[in-house]
Amino acid sequence: MEERRELRVALLGAGIIAGAHLEAIAATSGVMACAVADIDQAKAGELAERFGILSYTDYRDMLREERPDIAVIALPHFLHKEASLAAIAYGAHLMLEKPMALSTAECDAIITAAEQAGIRVLVGHTQHYIAENIEARKWVRSGELGTLIMIQDNRHLPYFRASRPAWFLDKARSGGGILANLGTHSIDKIQWLTDSAICRVSAMTSHHADRGNVEGSGMIFMRLQSGVAATIVQSGYPGEVRDETELIFAGGMLKLATGRGLWISRGGPYEPLAVPQTATPFERQYAELAAAIREGRETDCPPAYARGVIGVLEAVYRSAEMGEEQTID
């Protein structure tokens, strides 16, 4: 039997997240890193030396010369569409960081190009691959706590810290502020945990930061197709750092702290639940994308789903601007 060839992976972007990608690739059977590109030669060179791969300053040169099986799009949000289309043109499957693109129109362009070229795309909504989230979803699906009624998701952190790159705080380049960056994680988490799409949203945002032109907080009320109600509350202003999701059922409650733990209440105080440990989220993503490529099937976080997350975000911003509830197709 012919030995299975490892899929060669090239990174577009050598920013903060690039190291985590390369570590996951090194730990995942069936894939291997071959190159990294960044306009900052020092960043690309440091990663290349650390992981024993080649470095480029122009990702198009890298795609043309390396012809990777998989291209990782780990660039600023405003470059996702351009870089994705370039990688697809060179026949590379995509590991595309979230948010997928700046708009549903840009998502559509990527989806169309990928379908025409037979390219597999996995969009990096990491919430699907985190151990605590996976266990919480099992509880939701089991029905052991009765009907799921509502969800409260709270996330706060200092969003406007000096170390945050300027492009994050420019709406034209980032797509928005804390809701575009972290709110898309919450939108995705709620839809994925419930196996139900958000169909209506009402939102308010605020702008009180001394940097940039993006929102610094947001509150969203959402209705899901399943009938579940959900809220997302996020603040990037000074305060306690928090990332918790509370799921309220007819027969009890779950408290989910992604990456930290899962707790259950059946009428009394919360008690910890055992959470089976898994490979890291990035390792699970690469294993899934490699399997989808070899099996000729769609990934379990496909671009059509990720486009839907962007559609919800667009409705959130419309609601905040117009002061009216928005319906999502």
Side-chain angles (χ1 to χ4, degrees):
M1 180 181 293
E2 182 180 352
E3 184 177 352
R4 188 173 68 177
R5 179 180 68 85
E6 288 188 308
L7 300 173
R8 299 172 67 253
V9 185
L11 270 73
L12 284 66
I16 294 173
I17 203 68
H21 276 283
L22 288 166
E23 288 171 358
I25 293 165
T28 304
S29 175
V31 294
M32 62 172 289
C34 62
V36 58
D38 198 285
I39 58 174
D40 187 331
Q41 176 59 54
K43 286 184 178 180
E46 187 277 328
L47 282 174
E49 182 176 357
R50 178 178 160 197
F51 289 94
I53 58 178
L54 298 176
S55 67
Y56 292 80
T57 54
D58 187 320
Y59 70 73
R60 294 181 186 274
D61 289 342
M62 179 182 69
L63 291 170
R64 182 178 60 254
E65 295 183 24
E66 299 297 326
R67 299 286 174 145
D69 299 293
I70 298 171
V72 182
I73 311 300
L75 295 166
H77 305 165
F78 67 97
L79 295 174
H80 281 197
K81 174 191 170 184
E82 171 191 312
S84 295
L85 295 181
I88 290 169
Y90 282 103
H93 301 281
L94 299 184
M95 176 70 75
L96 175 53
E97 276 286 357
K98 56 68 58 185
M100 182 177 173
L102 291 181
S103 66
T104 51
E106 288 193 354
C107 293
D108 288 339
I110 296 171
I111 290 170
T112 298
E115 288 178 346
Q116 291 176 347
I119 293 298
R120 304 300 168 194
V121 181
L122 189 147
V123 181
H125 284 292
T126 54
Q127 300 297 314
H128 302 199
Y129 305 94
I130 297 172
E132 292 81 7
N133 294 5
I134 294 168
E135 188 66 16
R137 192 187 197 207
K138 290 179 181 177
W139 276 89
V140 174
R141 288 178 158 185
S142 75
E144 288 189 37
L145 293 177
T147 302
L148 177 62
I149 299 169
M150 55 186 171
I151 299 174
Q152 301 178 83
D153 184 88
N154 294 279
R155 189 161 189 182
H156 313 303
L157 55 74
Y159 196 74
F160 297 91
R161 61 186 183 273
S163 60
R164 186 171 295 282
W167 69 264
F168 269 108
L169 307 179
D170 176 3
K171 187 167 185 177
R173 293 187 290 169
S174 64
I178 193 167
L179 294 181
N181 192 15
L182 302 182
T184 47
H185 276 305
S186 295
I187 290 167
D188 166 48
K189 181 192 293 186
I190 288 168
Q191 293 192 137
W192 184 76
L193 287 173
T194 61
D195 292 307
S196 183
I198 295 164
C199 57
R200 294 164 70 184
V201 299
S202 181
M204 292 183 67
T205 58
S206 76
H207 295 73
H208 296 294
D210 57 3
R211 294 181 63 202
N213 65 351
V214 298
E215 82 282 352
S217 76
M219 184 169 186
I220 312 169
F221 176 77
M222 300 174 294
R223 301 174 190 270
L224 279 67
Q225 290 179 350
S226 61
V228 170
T231 60
I232 293 173
V233 180
Q234 296 193 339
S235 171
Y237 307 126
E240 182 185 37
V241 174
R242 184 182 303 172
D243 182 3
E244 292 184 352
T245 307
E246 198 164 42
L247 296 93
I248 300 171
F249 302 79
M253 302 167 71
L254 290 176
K255 181 170 70 172
L256 168 62
T258 297
R260 293 190 293 117
L262 179 66
W263 294 264
I264 187 170
S265 168
R266 298 181 186 271
Y270 274 118
E271 298 177 354
L273 285 168
V275 176
Q277 293 305 299
T278 67
T280 69
F282 279 179
E283 289 172 35
R284 291 174 63 90
Q285 285 179 321
Y286 280 102
E288 163 60 17
L289 178 56
I293 292 168
R294 290 193 167 100
E295 295 167 13
R297 60 170 174 81
E298 188 59 272
T299 67
D300 63 10
C301 194
Y305 172 83
R307 179 200 187 276
V309 173
I310 299 301
V312 174
L313 180 66
E314 289 177 337
V316 164
Y317 284 138
R318 286 198 307 271
S319 176
E321 181 179 350
M322 300 172 64
E324 299 175 351
E325 185 177 63
Q326 299 292 305
T327 300
I328 302 159
D329 293 335

